[in-house]
Amino acid sequence: APNPWRAPNPWRAPNPWRAPNPWRAPNPWRAPNPWRAPNPWRAPNPWRAPNPWRAPNPWRAPNPWRAPNPWRAPNPWRAPNPWRAPNPWRAPNPWRAPNPWRAPNPWRAPNPWRAPNPW
């Protein structure tokens, strides 16, 4: 029987049936066990593509280069895109002044408080 107080022979291969020492750091050159859950305290590998089935982190800002999800409702607190044409089916904002360059609606009654057109 081997002497348990003696240091093991470093040239001898370790017994593959023996559980590894849990206090020793794992070999950094060996690939991690794919069946073991990853360490939740370690930062994920930035080169690995994220899991597409996992919900994104709600606290992380979305990627500004990726197009927004067309099925998700837009953020009501963010100002609308000034380059996008407004929705023609949506009623205009009643608090915003009308566009002075657009011709007035001929079907709407004229504003009785405004002076008539002198021309």
Side-chain angles (χ1 to χ4, degrees):
N3 186 342
W5 287 276
R6 222 167 81 183
N9 185 345
W11 287 277
R12 180 122 158 254
N15 183 347
W17 285 276
R18 183 111 153 263
N21 184 345
W23 285 278
R24 173 156 342 150
N27 184 345
W29 286 277
R30 168 147 351 132
N33 183 348
W35 305 114
R36 167 133 10 116
N39 184 346
W41 281 273
R42 175 148 11 156
N45 185 345
W47 285 275
R48 162 128 23 118
N51 182 348
W53 305 115
R54 182 102 146 275
N57 183 345
W59 306 114
R60 165 139 8 133
N63 184 346
W65 307 118
R66 168 150 349 134
N69 182 348
W71 305 115
R72 166 131 13 116
N75 183 345
W77 307 118
R78 175 148 12 155
N81 184 345
W83 285 275
R84 164 129 21 122
N87 182 349
W89 306 114
R90 183 99 139 283
N93 183 345
W95 307 114
R96 168 146 357 142
N99 185 344
W101 285 276
R102 168 149 349 133
N105 183 346
W107 306 113
R108 170 142 356 127
N111 185 342
W113 284 276
R114 174 150 11 160
N117 187 345
W119 309 114

